Amino acid sequence: MRPELNFAAAALALSAAALGAADGAAQGPRVVARSSYLRPPQDPAKLPTWPKLAKRDGDRARAAAKQFRKKQARLHDAAAEQLKGMGAGVAPVLIPLINDRAQNVNEHIFKILDHVVNETHAALLAREATRKSVECRRYVARRLAGMRDKGTLPVLKQMLADKDEDIAFFAALGALAVGDGVGVDGVLAAARQRWAEQRTLIATTLTPARSDRSGMLVWTRIEGARPTEQMAGLRLLRYVATKEQRGRLRRYLESADFAVKREAINTARVLHGEEALEKISSFQAINLAKQWLKKL
């Protein structure tokens, strides 16, 4: 079967899962008083479709989006507030507008989607993973990673093969965030090569996923590995390892490799609720490692 058919099948499976989860929920969206916007049910599990805007509001959403092509910042701000107020129903209007042209409105669209799209829309957002726009696929992969929804794992696995480096990394990060080992190597590569650039995203995505399983996926991967791999793995372990796994740090605190020792110190610090020290001299590392060995 061709890759694109596999991808379509994965997205279809997600849609079916979403429909099953929604079975038995409130039938259809309800209208909010004094508003023509159609809202989703309260506290929905996973929505089978995007909340539907009334025709008049759909026209208003499209008109507001056109304001982003104008130069005046005040028009951009007013349009953004209007679209945010309409809720997730604007997503089907805005997503097709994301493009790879030099002159685009992506920045405005992403900010609105960040505001109105949440975890209940994970399966719906995953359907957009096959769009031609690289910028759109990047956005989808990044948001899916942060949603940590196991139901989107088939789509994330497909996105691992994307030719775009960022998309493949976001997909790997999302897979690791739901405890799947298929993403470990991709996230290790980013921790090794792009740490300054991706550290914040890695931390915010993986910290809520901290668990014995996620930690062991990394511990086992770096055992006996080269120092550069151990260094990268210890950076990830700041956010996925548990306090019960602290004893595993001893061998890395005793490492003769400075970079490994430094990262082991930082992992120990973060696991104890302290801030990491990105700049540590070799002399400091020796003393700090001795101190942490006594605490573990």
Side-chain angles (χ1 to χ4, degrees):
M1 184 178 288
R2 292 180 298 170
E4 58 266 33
L5 293 180
N6 286 334
F7 215 136
L12 183 60
L14 280 169
S15 300
L19 285 168
D23 189 33
Q27 298 299 312
R30 61 186 181 84
V31 179
V32 177
R34 292 187 296 178
S35 173
S36 55
Y37 306 149
L38 299 178
R39 302 293 189 181
Q42 292 295 315
D43 300 322
K46 292 182 181 179
L47 298 179
T49 59
W50 292 108
K52 187 176 181 181
L53 294 177
K55 183 181 183 304
R56 180 177 61 180
D57 294 316
D59 293 339
R60 288 176 177 173
R62 283 181 281 274
K66 290 180 180 179
Q67 300 300 305
F68 297 137
R69 299 193 178 279
K70 298 180 179 180
K71 294 182 179 181
Q72 299 93 324
R74 61 181 179 81
L75 296 179
H76 301 166
D77 294 341
E81 289 306 309
Q82 181 181 1
L83 288 165
K84 288 178 182 178
M86 291 183 176
V90 302
V93 175
L94 297 180
I95 290 174
L97 301 180
I98 301 170
N99 64 81
D100 301 334
R101 295 188 296 271
Q103 301 296 325
N104 59 61
V105 296
N106 294 349
E107 180 181 358
H108 300 291
I109 293 174
F110 294 156
K111 288 180 180 178
I112 296 165
L113 292 176
D114 283 348
H115 183 82
V116 301
V117 175
N118 58 42
E119 289 79 3
T120 66
H121 309 110
L124 302 174
L125 192 61
R127 296 176 189 173
E128 310 295 337
T130 57
R131 286 194 174 269
K132 292 183 178 180
S133 168
V134 174
E135 289 291 342
C136 186
R137 298 200 308 277
R138 281 179 187 159
Y139 179 80
V140 170
R142 179 177 64 79
R143 287 300 309 277
L144 290 180
M147 289 176 178
R148 296 177 293 279
D149 187 323
K150 289 186 177 180
T152 66
L153 185 58
V155 170
L156 289 171
K157 287 183 175 180
Q158 293 280 358
M159 298 186 89
L160 285 171
D162 200 291
K163 294 180 180 179
D164 182 81
E165 181 182 18
D166 283 339
I167 294 171
F169 161 60
F170 296 149
L173 184 62
L176 179 57
V178 296
D180 194 288
V182 72
V184 174
D185 285 346
V187 187
L188 278 173
R192 185 176 64 251
Q193 302 166 2
R194 307 171 64 189
W195 182 240
E197 175 190 356
Q198 301 294 355
R199 178 177 60 204
T200 299
L201 179 63
I202 290 173
T204 56
T205 303
L206 294 184
T207 299
R210 189 188 298 279
S211 67
D212 288 337
R213 174 175 173 75
S214 296
M216 288 307 301
L217 286 173
V218 180
W219 286 118
T220 56
R221 176 62 180 77
I222 67 172
E223 185 175 356
R226 295 175 300 175
T228 53
E229 288 293 298
Q230 293 180 352
M231 173 197 72
L234 288 163
R235 286 173 171 173
L236 300 184
L237 286 163
R238 299 181 191 180
Y239 312 114
V240 295
T242 63
K243 288 186 177 181
E244 291 72 23
Q245 296 173 344
R246 289 174 295 184
R248 292 177 172 271
L249 282 171
R250 300 188 68 88
R251 62 185 297 181
Y252 301 101
L253 288 168
E254 294 171 341
S255 174
D257 187 279
F258 166 67
V260 173
K261 188 184 294 290
R262 178 191 64 205
E263 295 307 332
I265 292 167
N266 278 327
T267 301
R269 289 178 62 86
V270 174
L271 289 178
H272 282 77
E274 300 178 24
E275 293 289 333
L277 300 172
E278 298 301 335
K279 294 183 179 180
I280 303 175
S281 69
S282 57
F283 178 76
Q284 289 176 309
I286 293 172
N287 289 329
L288 288 170
K290 289 179 180 178
Q291 293 174 23
W292 281 110
L293 283 168
K294 293 178 181 179
K295 296 179 183 180
L296 296 180

